[in-house]
Amino acid sequence: MAINRQKSSTRHKCFISYHDANRRAVEAFINRFSDVIIPRTVGVTATDPFVNSTDQDYVKRVIREKYLTDSTVTIVLIGRCTWARRFVDWEIASSLRNDPNNKRSGLLGIKLSSEAKKMPARLNANISSANKPGYARVRTYPRSAASLRRWVEDAFDARSTRQGNIDNSLPLRQRNSPC
């Protein structure tokens, strides 16, 4: 029984992937659930550094090395236009990789509102369907810290239990799409 208590109180380092249009909702999510997760973000608050470069390889490398290397779960906070952001695609792709410098992360999508109808394509490719089991799960906004804690733990465990269901075959998104 002590093992269950220990496991349920574990705070995982979670990389938060999001669209800039949802910055306030992302800040609120982080503030509300900072006792459940250790958030890793790029540019959400004034204390978060922002990778300001037009060099795609540099941006991907910095995100991978500074934010994803020590995170264990990537949480994609899904708003109305999240699907259109290329950096979200790159962050999900990097999260699904498993190499010596970047261990695979669990993948969890959370809808910020009812407007979040369209999923980022790479996240969608990893969600369960009638035809295949998926690596990732997508949930509505958590009603409690306990719910989020269970979802994050499930995503963390998926790294070993559902790794055969990973689909990282889509080409990287080269540009943002209009929302």
Side-chain angles (χ1 to χ4, degrees), residues 7 24 38 48 52 62 77 95 103 105 115-116 132 148:
K7 190 173 185 175
R24 285 190 180 151
I38 302 168
D48 295 325
N52 191 10
V62 168
L77 293 178
S95 296
K103 297 296 181 192
S105 294
E115 292 182 345
K132 68 174 180 73
L148 179 61

Side-chain angles (χ1 to χ4, degrees), residues 15 18 22 29 43-44 47 80-81 92 101 125 139 148 158 169 171:
F15 180 77
Y18 64 97
N22 303 116
F29 178 87
V44 172
T47 60
R80 189 173 66 82
C81 297
I92 294 170
N101 295 324
R139 310 283 188 187
L148 179 61
S169 63

Side-chain angles (χ1 to χ4, degrees), residues 14 22 24 58 60 76 78 101 118 127 147 157 160:
C14 297
N22 303 116
R24 285 190 180 151
Y58 173 75
K60 287 186 278 189
V76 182
I78 306 162
N101 295 324
K118 190 169 182 181
I127 298 170
S147 293
D157 291 344
S160 59

Side-chain angles (χ1 to χ4, degrees), residues 83-157:
W83 66 270
R85 186 172 176 258
R86 70 178 170 167
F87 290 142
V88 169
D89 180 57
W90 296 359
E91 292 158 359
I92 294 170
S94 187
S95 296
L96 293 172
R97 287 178 41 177
N98 196 29
D99 60 47
N101 295 324
N102 184 37
K103 297 296 181 192
R104 180 175 296 117
S105 294
L107 185 58
L108 171 63
I110 296 178
K111 294 179 181 183
L112 292 172
S113 71
S114 61
E115 292 182 345
K117 293 182 172 44
K118 190 169 182 181
M119 298 292 119
R122 194 174 309 274
L123 175 61
N124 198 47
N126 284 281
I127 298 170
S128 295
S129 71
N131 303 344
K132 68 174 180 73
Y135 180 71
R137 302 290 185 257
V138 173
R139 310 283 188 187
T140 58
Y141 199 87
R143 293 181 183 210
S144 69
S147 293
L148 179 61
R149 187 173 280 114
R150 281 191 307 274
W151 301 344
V152 169
E153 196 63 41
D154 176 69
F156 177 81
D157 291 344

Side-chain angles (χ1 to χ4, degrees), residues 152-168:
V152 169
E153 196 63 41
D154 176 69
F156 177 81
D157 291 344
R159 300 175 321 148
S160 59
T161 62
R162 296 192 298 258
Q163 61 185 328
N165 303 330
I166 295 168
D167 181 353
N168 205 12

